[in-house]
Amino acid sequence: MHAVIRILCLLVFAVSVVYGNVASLLLAFLILLSLYRPNKNLSWKTAWHYLRQIRWLLLTIILLYSWATPGQPLFLQYASYSPSQEGVLLGVERGISLIFLLAAVYWVLNSMSRQELLAALLFLLRVLPLSVETRTRIAVRVMLSLELLPQVRDYVSDAMQKISAAKKSRWYQASWLADVFEKLLLEMEQKEPTWIELPGQQAIPLIQWGYPLLLGVLFWMLRSYL
């Protein structure tokens, strides 16, 4: 599948999962299952390792929806303080949507090379009323930012493990983290600049344009009739 089509399918997938229903989430899970199983370079175990890092965000989403959504109390004997049943279900649904979305993003970014990603970004940015030079700069910066995020995460994670147990207070970590990022920025500034070759655009098979359309129709039917 062409890189441009993969990104378009990701956009359709993201909108459908965020605004879909339970049936949409089931279809999203089946799609992800079919994508991860035949891919030897990606696995649910690897994806789950990264998803664990947002567990507190997921818990926050569930708690906010649970107590902020009106409805039938989950615990009738503590109705004044209990979260609502509708809120809990909605929070879990939003949490699952976020997990599926991040898993899809992880698959798309790791299923294409740097040149394929850059070519796809250059192609999609054509719709913006910008000069060729500006579009190229935006595409290169987005690509480099996506490549840099895992490096920053690993750098901070390794540094966090070196903190002694006596210095693991929240205030110490906050000031220490600012110093870590400052050192990281200095190291990056001292690196030699690298040349990036702009890729040529490959023709997209006509039939592949139907993939995001078909995906959107499937999600729309599930949302409309189920």
Side-chain angles (χ1 to χ4, degrees):
M1 186 186 299
H2 196 279
V4 173
I5 302 301
R6 294 184 186 187
I7 294 178
L8 291 177
C9 287
L10 174 62
L11 295 177
V12 174
F13 182 92
V15 174
S16 302
V17 167
V18 170
Y19 294 101
N21 52 15
V22 177
S24 300
L25 293 179
L26 178 59
L27 176 60
F29 175 74
L30 295 177
I31 292 174
L32 291 173
L33 189 63
S34 65
L35 292 176
Y36 274 80
R37 287 192 62 183
N39 197 321
K40 297 181 180 180
N41 298 323
L42 300 173
S43 65
W44 283 106
K45 183 177 180 180
T46 305
W48 179 250
H49 171 73
Y50 292 110
L51 290 173
R52 284 183 58 193
Q53 300 178 9
I54 64 166
R55 59 185 181 275
W56 296 114
L57 174 60
L58 294 174
L59 179 60
T60 302
I61 291 174
I62 294 175
L63 292 178
L64 286 176
Y65 274 99
S66 297
W67 269 273
T69 304
Q72 184 70 21
L74 184 63
F75 306 104
L76 296 178
Q77 60 272 36
Y78 304 105
S80 300
Y81 309 99
S82 172
S84 65
Q85 298 178 14
E86 293 81 358
V88 172
L89 293 176
L90 188 58
V92 172
E93 183 180 333
R94 294 302 91 198
I96 294 175
S97 300
L98 179 59
I99 291 174
F100 287 175
L101 178 56
L102 293 179
V105 171
Y106 177 75
W107 180 86
V108 169
L109 294 180
N110 287 274
S111 63
M112 62 179 72
S113 64
R114 167 192 270 202
Q115 293 297 95
E116 288 178 327
L117 176 59
L118 184 56
L121 291 174
L122 289 172
F123 182 90
L124 294 173
L125 287 173
R126 288 180 180 180
V127 300
L128 299 179
L130 302 173
S131 64
V132 176
E133 181 180 357
T134 303
R135 293 200 300 265
T136 303
R137 287 182 178 179
I138 294 175
V140 171
R141 288 177 180 177
V142 170
M143 182 197 68
L144 292 177
S145 298
L146 293 174
E147 290 182 350
L148 186 61
L149 285 176
Q151 300 176 23
V152 174
R153 183 192 61 243
D154 295 338
Y155 184 92
V156 174
S157 178
D158 293 339
M160 283 287 291
Q161 295 177 1
K162 298 177 182 179
I163 301 180
S164 62
K167 296 182 178 180
K168 286 190 175 181
S169 66
R170 297 297 180 183
W171 290 108
Y172 179 84
Q173 289 184 8
S175 60
W176 169 86
L177 191 60
D179 295 336
V180 169
F181 276 108
E182 184 177 355
K183 293 178 182 178
L184 180 61
L185 291 175
L186 289 175
E187 290 181 10
M188 293 179 179
E189 290 178 355
Q190 295 173 358
K191 287 185 178 180
E192 293 293 331
T194 58
W195 291 94
I196 298 177
E197 181 181 356
L198 296 181
Q201 293 292 342
Q202 297 181 352
I204 304 176
L206 185 60
I207 190 174
Q208 291 192 13
W209 289 104
Y211 295 167
L213 178 61
L214 177 61
L215 188 63
V217 170
L218 288 176
F219 277 112
W220 175 78
M221 291 179 64
L222 288 175
R223 177 174 173 80
S224 301
Y225 298 104
L226 291 181

